[in-house]
Amino acid sequence: MPSPLRALAALGVSLLAAASLLACSPSSKPATCPAGQSSCDGICFDLQTNARSCGACLNRCATGASCLGGTCSCPAGEATCGPAPGACVQLATDPTNCGACGNACGLGSCGGGSCSCDPGATGCAAPGPRCVDTLGDPANCGACRQACQVGASCVTGACVCPASRPDTCAGACVDRLTNVAHCGACGNACPAGASCTAGACACPAAQPVTCGTAPGACVDLQTAEADCGACGFRCAAGATCTGGVCRCPTGETACGATGAAPGACVDLATDAGNCGGCARPCGPSQSCSAGACRCAAPQVACSATCCAGTDCCSGACQTAHSNGLGQSYFDCGALGTYTRETALRAAGAWAPTGGSDTDRFFSGDCLSRTVGSTCATWCYTENFAGRVELNPISAVCLSPSSLSPSWY
């Protein structure tokens, strides 16, 4: 059993190791680095000599290169090839970079920066490997850069398709007896959904008709919404094709068909664009309910426009009048029309329920409405026509004056 002293010593070593790892962790960012070093993502580097950060933070040198004076340098006689940061290679002897980066010898060796082909290999110019087997290479079959069709092999310098795909179409080996893109002849594509059998296209029994621009598609005219009953006859949006006839859901009607546009199934009872019938739109602020255009209460509909008020004026909205006390009333009269009837409307806007009305003759004909201990008086003739007086103090109604608010 370890002694307590040995246990404490082991704990101290563990803590020291953890502290060392923490100091080297990229997430630990020292406040300062030793003289001549720079902090790069929390790690101190000498940018003049470190190949992982040469001249600048995280500027990695190529594999095999060293950092001298902040510049990456390959050993003498070597050059940097490959995607950054690349690797240092001997262009004089490297068979994949012979004489220049990316200049591969292929079936040969590199000496003095030049490729020497193996026995039986043929020398080819760039691009591509310099030494190839023209007798068996599908990319250089019979001659340099003479590629075989897709799927073919190169046999003694000649391209040969396999027995299962003996024909050549569009640069590939195919079987024209079964290939749906080249059925019976190159470029003869079968309709979508069809099969190619013995060089002839055939639609399945469930989709026996071909519709659409060649090669088209196999469809069932009894159920296809895009070809219902006949090719090109498209059902309205939301409809289904049953027995070759387009049918909207129960309670809906097809509206909006124009030319090639099939329209859509709508509910004439609720559709604001087709309210009560196709092409019967409601006004911009109206809704459709039970097949009629309606306005939200308390508005009324006047010539497809929702209006405030109680009625329409020859199809137009009523005029909005102020009662002088902050409320509005509506009628078909022009602004500045003062009568007992308009005074009653003004009083109704102020106190819609309750109260009592009294005709008065202060300095012309006036109407007073009393509610509790408050009353208001609207004059509609003579000196103070169009003035209103509010008396919230007692039951005695005051006469309007030239300083009283206006109603119109």
Side-chain angles (χ1 to χ4, degrees), residues 4-408:
L5 290 176
R6 288 185 177 179
L8 287 173
L11 177 60
V13 171
S14 299
L15 291 174
L16 180 60
S20 299
L21 288 175
L22 183 61
C24 295
S25 172
S27 62
S28 175
K29 298 188 177 181
T32 58
C33 287
Q37 295 188 11
S38 301
S39 176
C40 297
D41 204 17
I43 302 177
C44 293
F45 290 105
D46 184 346
L47 302 183
Q48 299 300 303
T49 60
N50 196 294
R52 290 192 295 165
S53 293
C54 185
C57 282
L58 306 182
N59 180 42
R60 186 181 293 272
C61 292
T63 302
S66 58
C67 180
L68 299 174
T71 302
C72 294
S73 301
C74 284
E78 296 187 10
T80 302
C81 291
C88 294
V89 298
Q90 283 277 0
L91 298 180
T93 58
D94 190 334
T96 58
N97 300 278
C98 188
C101 290
N103 186 40
C105 290
L107 300 178
S109 58
C110 180
S114 298
C115 293
S116 297
C117 293
D118 296 338
T122 300
C124 295
R130 294 295 179 269
C131 303
V132 299
D133 178 12
T134 57
L135 296 180
D137 187 351
N140 301 274
C141 190
C144 293
R145 315 305 177 226
Q146 183 169 283
C148 292
Q149 56 267 50
V150 177
S153 57
C154 183
V155 181
T156 62
C159 296
V160 179
C161 284
S164 60
R165 291 174 289 166
D167 308 308
T168 299
C169 290
C173 295
V174 301
D175 182 1
R176 291 197 293 252
L177 297 178
T178 59
N179 192 290
V180 293
H182 307 281
C183 188
C186 289
N188 183 42
C190 293
S195 60
C196 179
T197 305
C201 296
C203 284
Q207 297 171 303
V209 180
T210 301
C211 289
T213 304
C218 299
V219 300
D220 180 3
L221 299 181
Q222 301 300 302
T223 59
E225 275 81 27
D227 303 283
C228 188
C231 287
F233 189 88
R234 184 179 294 273
C235 293
T240 56
C241 181
T242 306
V245 178
C246 293
R247 303 179 190 278
C248 284
T250 302
E252 295 188 8
T253 303
C255 289
T258 55
C265 296
V266 299
D267 185 349
L268 299 180
T270 59
D271 190 273
N274 302 275
C275 190
C278 290
R280 292 178 56 182
C282 293
S285 56
Q286 293 179 318
S287 60
C288 182
S289 177
C293 295
R294 304 178 190 278
C295 295
Q299 293 183 317
V300 295
C302 299
S303 298
T305 301
C306 292
C307 305
T310 58
D311 206 345
C312 301
C313 303
S314 300
C317 294
Q318 291 180 314
T319 304
H321 300 267
S322 169
N323 70 350
L325 301 180
Q327 297 84 37
S328 297
Y329 66 93
F330 301 86
D331 62 20
C332 293
L335 294 176
T337 301
Y338 305 116
T339 65
R340 186 176 187 278
E341 180 62 27
T342 57
L344 282 170
R345 291 178 183 275
W350 174 65
T353 59
S356 59
D357 299 330
T358 304
D359 290 316
R360 297 183 180 276
F361 307 96
F362 296 112
S363 54
D365 294 328
C366 304
L367 176 77
S368 293
R369 173 162 291 189
T370 302
V371 179
S373 61
T374 303
C375 69
T377 301
W378 290 266
C379 285
Y380 49 88
T381 64
E382 297 188 17
N383 293 340
F384 301 118
R387 297 287 180 176
V388 58
E389 185 63 44
L390 178 66
N391 177 18
I393 299 174
S394 68
V396 177
C397 290
L398 301 179
S399 169
S401 70
S402 60
L403 300 178
S404 299
S406 299
W407 61 288
Y408 52 85

